[in-house]
Amino acid sequence: MADISANFLGIKSPNPFWLASAPPTDKKYNVLRAFEAGWGGVVWKTLGSQVKNVSSRYSAVDFNGGRVMGFNNIELISDRPLDINLKEIAECVRLFPDRAMIVSLMADNDKESWHELIKKVEDTGAHGFELNFGCPHGMTERGMGAAVGQDPLIAKMVVEWVMEAATIPVITKLTPNVHSVVPTGQACVEAGTNALSLINTIQSVTGIDLDSFVPNPNVGGKSAFGGYCGPAVKPIALKMLTTIAQNPITSKVPISGIGGISTWRDAVEFMLLGSTTVQVCTAAMKHGFRIVEDMNEGLNNWMDEKGFRTINDFIGKSVNTLTNWEDLDINYHIIAKINQDKCIHCGLCYIACEDTSHQSINLAYGKPYNTYSVKEEECVGCNLCKLVCPVENCITMEVHRKGEEYLNWKEFQRRGLPLNDH
Amino acid sequence: MAVFQGSPAGNLWKTGRTLIPPLLNEIPLMAITNNKLTNDQYSQNFSDIHPPFENKTAAQVDANRCLFCYDAPCTKSCPTSINIPKFIKQISSDNIKGSAHTIFISNIMGAGCSKVCPVEKLCEGACVYNLLEEEPIPIAKLQRYSTEQAMDNKWKLFDRKPSNGKKVAVVGAGPAGLSCAHVLSREGIDVTIFEKEPKGGGLMTYGIAAYKVTPEFCEDEVNYITSIGGIEIKYNHALGKEITLDQLQKSYDAVYLGIGVGVARQLDIPGEEMEGVVDAIGFIYNLRANGYPSVPVGDKVAVIGMGMTAIDAATQAKRLGAKEVTLVYRRTEAEKPCTDVELDIAKLDGCEIIWLAAPKEVKGNGNKVTQLVCSKMKLGEPDASGRRSPVDTGETFALDVDMVIKAAGQVPFQELVDQYQINNKNGRITIDNNATSIKGVYAGGDCVNGGKEVVDAVQAGKDGAAAILKYLFP
């Protein structure tokens, strides 16, 4: 049985699964339910500036009958009285001392406000802070949230204020609503943040009601850009995470990964790219806290299968497998192979290749079932057929190297080898 | 509610309801009588055997399972080549009008076919999910989802071209005739259909089990098809009686014969003329035309044959209140013309089945049937159809019955086609590229193929229309 516990800057949790700062963590009632369900930690919904919310607040993107592939919200930071939040945080810490209690902060834009807030929260016994430099709506217009995270200089200044006062670990949460998360990440690390977390939500319009012509979510006939999250954003989050994990400055601090994590598999991917813990919100909002059961069990089983004793055995293991395009091996070549015993003759590989790729699949007419086979000499090894095939392991990509040696683009060019020759 | 004796418990999941038998004290001993059940019992026994989707979400769950195959096996297995992946995709995108149009452009009786097609041997039987040992996409149910909305909302999905002055007579308002008429009307031809019955739809209206389609549905379907305009149906006009082929040839630019098949095949056994021996089409016709309570049914019924009509007759007899229904078939299960799904319906209704039995004699008390004597058969060499022929073993057995329903196929209108000197083979009209031996006269459907599915007749109607258009506009 593997040890799935996490140690994040000395903050311990029985598993690496934390609930992200969001509606599921905005009060004692939810947080106690989460801890009872087995979550390793929570990031308490952002405390700070005074706000007032609107209705409605959420919208979603469905895909082929599946609900909430993407999720969007225009809710603001906590709208509950600060003293009640603080009292409840302290109670949660007392009742579940083995769980991580991080509190998300977003004070008004002056040093005193930040210092005052930090002092009050530290008195609750919380284990760490997460600075909300990412909220993309409502707070931005007032110079907070993403407005801080989008400007490395401002972010640096705020982190410096925080570090003057904080005596417990500080995580800075980055906004993805930038060209690159690295400049702000670097600025925050240089200003002394103890850790980074990413990504916050991505500004979005999830859709428009074709009857009312108003985008979602509808607030009395109008809408506003909301923060996008859920499974749809995971690939974007993984890319941004990689840039932080690979950068010499930002990679010095631990990372808490966020963005579309719904299962233990998603979590492992974030951890392979450098996250020590992961944070979940949308999946819990869709299914409730019980999803953590399978996350715990799945991670454990996978680690046992792979022979990993602790999560540190694999954190960051894939970071260096992402390289620059020009370092990829041009001599590596794969060709699709269709297993005729498994093929169900749906023709999806054929039509995808024929219409949109390299016309590398042959169709032999049959009634009702056609036979499909790969024209090996035409196949460029793009994976498309394999990706659209509905049958597991029916199409496999077989390695047929073009040459023995590793040959990258730079060397290829240096030798004057032929280009545009397909 | 009375519990049906002898019906497997599986009946409930299959048909969604319990078959209601008559109460014992209501039945006189061994007699062919009508009115065996109450109105509630009739309506429950004849309610829809394949209920539709309850709501949009349910339809979309199944629509989204569809893989959207290329050159799809389902489409290739549909005699009318409905673009099935496309119409299902259109359900997914909530473009139901588009979905219905995709169905109707290939099969104008797509609504009826969604209820009566033996899909297990056509589209659904070819669904690639079968190859994964998974349930196929419920194509018929999805087709019903779209077409029913189109009919209920009277969506106008087709515009006919302006009238071009050409006139075509269609004989028979069954699937072949209606399909032909619709294509011709779309092309601007004025069509007159001559129908011998008081209602359109042909065997769809008169020859199919009532739990598959209701008379009201059939009437709605005919009205929906003809709502395009340019199609007039003259009911109670039989070829050879109220109208003649010569008249039609004189008054119209072309003629299409979709006259179907007629009387039931005779058994040619002693006692066949006795009271209580009826033919299946007549029996179902009666049921459909006159209503359930008016149709007499025996207490112990033998049904001869194992085609779709035999199954329909057997299940309908049972559902009308017969205590025992026995299907008698000359060959074995392997050679049966009906599908497994159909056979299951009969079994779940509690019908008995005797394989390798051929009717030899009907015995009676006076003129009333009391027994069906059958020869025990065994399988011999394959015949022309490739099926092994039954051979008499010389042994016999007798079934105590008070009614015998003949469902051993139907015979074409040989006299009629001979009368007009139309080339035919045993009454089945011979066609060359949809044209009969008489210039300007085309034919298709059961009167040509001897009796196949509704969907085959619809395709024949399309083919006939295409040939007529080529003839009229060379």
Side-chain angles (χ1 to χ4, degrees):
Chain A
M1 197 80 165
D3 175 5
I4 64 168
S5 68
N7 183 341
F8 193 94
L9 295 166
I11 303 168
K12 291 180 180 158
S13 59
N15 59 55
F17 308 121
W18 295 356
L19 284 166
S21 167
T25 61
D26 86 328
K27 58 176 130 24
K28 182 176 108 180
Y29 181 81
N30 306 59
V31 169
L32 290 183
R33 283 179 67 85
F35 286 161
E36 281 158 13
W39 287 88
V42 300
V43 182
W44 197 276
K45 187 171 162 92
T46 309
L47 308 181
S49 194
Q50 299 285 297
V51 298
K52 183 72 191 165
N53 269 306
V54 295
S55 168
S56 57
R57 302 177 193 179
Y58 307 143
S59 62
V61 174
D62 302 336
F63 184 73
N64 269 7
R67 299 281 193 216
V68 194
M69 175 199 73
F71 190 70
N72 158 301
N73 83 88
I74 54 170
E75 189 171 287
L76 303 177
I77 64 174
S78 179
D79 56 5
R80 305 170 75 226
L82 181 63
D83 54 340
I84 293 178
N85 274 312
L86 295 173
K87 184 167 150 282
E88 292 190 359
I89 290 168
E91 285 174 31
C92 292
V93 171
R94 183 175 57 78
L95 289 167
F96 284 88
D98 65 328
R99 310 303 169 92
M101 173 61 76
I102 314 295
V103 180
S104 175
L105 304 180
M106 186 195 291
D108 286 325
N109 257 344
D110 60 83
K111 197 195 247 188
E112 290 66 37
S113 299
W114 278 97
H115 283 187
E116 190 186 339
L117 186 59
I118 286 165
K119 176 77 185 63
K120 284 181 179 166
V121 176
E122 283 200 355
D123 288 344
T124 64
H127 308 116
F129 294 120
E130 184 181 80
L131 311 184
N132 182 344
F133 288 0
C135 181
H137 49 258
M139 310 313 290
T140 345
E141 292 87 330
R142 292 161 53 185
M144 289 178 271
V148 176
Q150 282 164 339
D151 187 328
L153 288 178
I154 299 174
K156 190 171 185 220
M157 178 181 73
V158 177
V159 172
E160 282 168 354
W161 293 343
V162 170
M163 298 318 293
E164 284 170 15
T167 65
I168 54 176
V170 174
I171 308 166
T172 303
K173 185 169 179 177
L174 300 176
T175 175
N177 296 301
V178 286
H179 160 67
S180 164
V181 288
V182 172
T184 298
Q186 270 182 346
C188 294
V189 171
E190 282 162 359
T193 190
N194 304 113
L196 295 170
S197 61
L198 75 167
I199 60 175
N200 207 308
T201 55
I202 304 170
Q203 274 204 318
S204 65
V205 177
T206 50
I208 300 175
D209 184 311
L210 296 188
D211 295 316
S212 70
F213 308 107
V214 178
N216 311 318
N218 184 329
V219 183
K222 298 277 186 186
S223 190
F225 297 154
Y228 197 46
C229 52
V233 310
K234 192 187 95 179
I236 300 165
L238 287 175
K239 180 262 175 181
M240 291 180 160
L241 168 64
T242 306
T243 61
I244 291 294
Q246 290 185 335
N247 180 276
I249 294 170
T250 51
S251 62
K252 284 181 192 154
V253 298
I255 308 166
S256 187
I258 313 164
I261 296 164
S262 308
T263 67
W264 65 269
R265 304 188 73 94
D266 299 329
V268 166
E269 292 175 64
F270 274 77
M271 294 165 84
L272 288 169
L273 286 177
S275 302
T276 299
T277 62
V278 294
Q279 298 183 27
V280 177
C281 173
T282 308
M285 290 186 74
K286 188 180 174 195
H287 300 292
F289 295 137
R290 60 204 163 122
I291 58 168
V292 77
E293 295 166 21
D294 180 58
M295 298 181 85
N296 280 330
E297 292 163 21
L299 175 62
N300 217 310
N301 290 337
W302 178 79
M303 285 173 63
D304 283 348
E305 272 170 35
K306 298 291 173 190
F308 295 130
R309 207 170 41 79
T310 74
I311 59 173
N312 296 317
D313 293 349
F314 67 90
I315 287 171
K317 201 172 171 60
S318 299
V319 172
N320 292 328
T321 61
L322 273 151
T323 183
N324 294 317
W325 189 92
E326 61 180 16
D327 291 323
L328 298 175
D329 183 2
I330 290 175
N331 270 339
Y332 178 77
H333 185 66
I334 52 174
I335 295 174
K337 187 176 179 189
I338 300 171
N339 182 335
Q340 296 299 336
D341 293 335
K342 291 191 172 179
C343 177
I344 58 168
H345 316 283
C346 67
L348 295 181
C349 60
Y350 170 82
I351 197 59
C353 189
E354 192 69 11
D355 277 359
T356 70
S357 199
H358 291 82
Q359 297 76 46
S360 310
I361 294 179
N362 186 59
L363 183 163
Y365 184 82
K367 191 169 178 347
Y369 300 120
N370 300 339
T371 305
Y372 300 97
S373 54
V374 175
K375 299 178 202 164
E376 293 196 359
E377 66 289 357
E378 297 294 331
C379 177
V380 301
C382 72
N383 281 343
L384 180 62
C385 55
K386 174 189 159 82
L387 296 174
V388 300
C389 176
V391 182
E392 193 177 18
N393 296 327
C394 174
I395 298 182
T396 48
M397 307 303 291
E398 314 253 303
V399 179
H400 295 257
R401 290 190 66 89
K402 295 278 191 191
E404 285 295 311
E405 59 170 340
Y406 162 80
L407 177 66
N408 67 25
W409 164 247
K410 287 170 280 190
E411 180 63 14
F412 195 88
Q413 257 191 328
R414 195 188 62 75
R415 293 187 198 174
L417 292 168
L419 300 172
N420 283 21
D421 64 338
H422 184 74
Chain B
M1 194 196 335
V3 176
F4 185 63
Q5 301 294 314
S7 169
N11 192 15
L12 278 172
W13 66 259
K14 194 73 193 176
T15 61
R17 69 211 180 308
T18 313
L19 196 56
I20 302 183
L23 293 172
L24 286 175
N25 59 8
E26 291 171 358
I27 315 169
L29 280 174
M30 284 286 277
I32 302 182
T33 53
N34 62 356
N35 239 336
K36 288 191 190 230
L37 308 178
T38 66
N39 282 342
D40 282 352
Q41 289 170 326
Y42 282 122
S43 70
Q44 182 167 355
N45 283 356
F46 289 90
S47 67
D48 207 330
I49 192 164
H50 300 301
F53 285 111
E54 292 284 340
N55 53 53
K56 182 165 110 180
T57 306
Q60 289 197 337
V61 167
D62 274 318
N64 282 320
R65 268 185 80 225
C66 175
L67 294 173
F68 200 48
C69 292
Y70 173 73
D71 197 25
C74 51
T75 292
K76 285 155 94 174
S77 302
C78 171
T80 60
S81 307
I82 294 174
N83 189 338
I84 294 165
K86 180 179 172 185
F87 96 67
I88 294 179
K89 194 84 175 164
Q90 289 173 307
I91 293 175
S92 290
S93 80
D94 205 16
N95 174 11
I96 307 304
K97 264 185 197 162
S99 176
H101 183 268
T102 301
I103 295 161
F104 288 134
I105 193 84
S106 290
N107 181 343
I108 197 61
M109 296 196 91
C113 284
S114 77
K115 295 163 184 252
V116 305
C117 259
V119 287
E120 55 276 12
K121 67 174 185 186
L122 300 172
C123 54
E124 290 182 20
C127 176
V128 299
Y129 272 114
N130 293 300
L131 303 176
L132 281 174
E133 306 297 331
E134 282 292 317
E135 281 292 306
I137 301 295
I139 297 169
K141 201 170 172 183
L142 288 163
Q143 181 166 316
R144 175 171 176 177
Y145 178 77
S146 295
T147 53
E148 210 158 63
Q149 289 185 56
M151 276 174 58
D152 289 350
N153 295 300
K154 299 189 167 61
W155 284 336
K156 191 166 167 47
L157 300 174
F158 297 95
D159 285 321
R160 70 186 299 249
K161 291 181 185 166
S163 184
N164 53 35
K166 298 284 186 189
K167 296 194 301 177
V168 171
V170 170
V171 184
L178 287 167
S179 160
C180 178
H182 196 265
V183 174
L184 293 174
S185 174
R186 284 198 323 243
E187 294 303 315
I189 288 166
D190 294 320
V191 183
T192 308
I193 305 180
F194 298 92
E195 168 57 52
K196 68 178 164 46
E197 302 295 338
K199 285 179 183 170
L203 281 186
M204 181 79 107
T205 300
Y206 290 107
I208 287 173
Y211 53 43
K212 292 180 184 166
V213 284
T214 63
E216 298 75 37
F217 169 83
C218 293
E219 198 164 342
D220 287 349
E221 184 170 45
V222 172
N223 290 337
Y224 186 61
I225 293 169
T226 55
S227 68
I228 187 174
I231 303 173
E232 186 195 359
I233 306 183
K234 289 185 182 296
Y235 292 109
N236 303 309
H237 279 65
L239 183 64
K241 289 180 185 162
E242 288 80 10
I243 45 159
T244 67
L245 189 57
D246 302 341
Q247 287 169 344
L248 297 181
Q249 284 178 287
K250 281 196 194 99
S251 313
Y252 295 88
D253 297 300
V255 178
Y256 182 78
L257 302 177
I259 56 178
V261 282
V263 290
R265 193 178 302 284
Q266 293 300 301
L267 299 175
D268 292 327
I269 57 172
E272 188 171 359
E273 70 297 333
M274 251 184 255
E275 196 183 307
V277 181
V278 300
D279 79 80
I281 294 293
F283 176 69
I284 295 171
Y285 177 105
N286 230 339
L287 186 84
R288 306 294 306 279
N290 304 322
Y292 315 121
S294 70
V295 182
V297 67
D299 288 324
K300 294 188 171 189
V301 179
V303 178
I304 316 290
M306 197 53 77
M308 298 295 213
T309 305
I311 300 287
D312 281 355
T315 55
Q316 305 294 271
K318 192 84 188 177
R319 287 160 192 252
L320 279 175
K323 281 197 289 188
E324 287 176 26
V325 174
T326 308
L327 281 147
V328 176
Y329 182 52
R330 299 189 294 160
R331 309 181 202 231
T332 72
E333 182 162 0
E335 291 82 26
K336 70 180 188 304
C338 71
T339 65
D340 290 342
V341 172
E342 293 281 321
L343 183 61
D344 283 347
I345 297 173
K347 286 180 179 171
L348 289 163
D349 274 5
C351 299
E352 297 294 326
I353 292 146
I354 300 178
W355 305 106
L356 290 168
K360 189 178 166 70
E361 184 181 355
V362 181
K363 287 187 173 172
N365 180 5
N367 200 31
K368 292 202 190 316
V369 175
T370 56
Q371 261 192 346
L372 175 69
V373 180
C374 296
S375 301
K376 288 190 182 174
M377 312 298 278
K378 63 180 183 187
L379 285 183
E381 294 303 307
D383 65 8
S385 72
R387 294 185 300 177
R388 292 177 69 189
S389 297
V391 181
D392 198 333
T393 61
E395 290 178 60
T396 62
F397 66 93
L399 287 172
D400 289 337
V401 295
D402 55 1
M403 184 179 195
V404 175
I405 302 178
K406 300 182 287 183
Q410 289 166 266
V411 184
F413 293 106
Q414 179 146 14
E415 257 179 56
L416 187 64
V417 293
D418 280 343
Q419 179 192 332
Y420 292 121
Q421 291 167 351
I422 303 169
N423 283 1
N424 66 81
K425 196 177 167 191
N426 302 326
R428 285 155 61 165
I429 299 173
T430 343
I431 55 170
D432 177 13
N433 202 11
N434 304 288
T436 68
S437 53
I438 300 175
K439 189 174 159 57
V441 179
Y442 295 76
D446 283 359
C447 66
V448 169
N449 65 34
K452 286 172 103 175
E453 307 299 339
V454 171
V455 66
D456 294 298
V458 172
Q459 184 58 34
K462 284 159 62 185
D463 294 341
I468 290 169
L469 287 167
K470 217 167 173 184
Y471 168 71
L472 296 179
F473 305 99

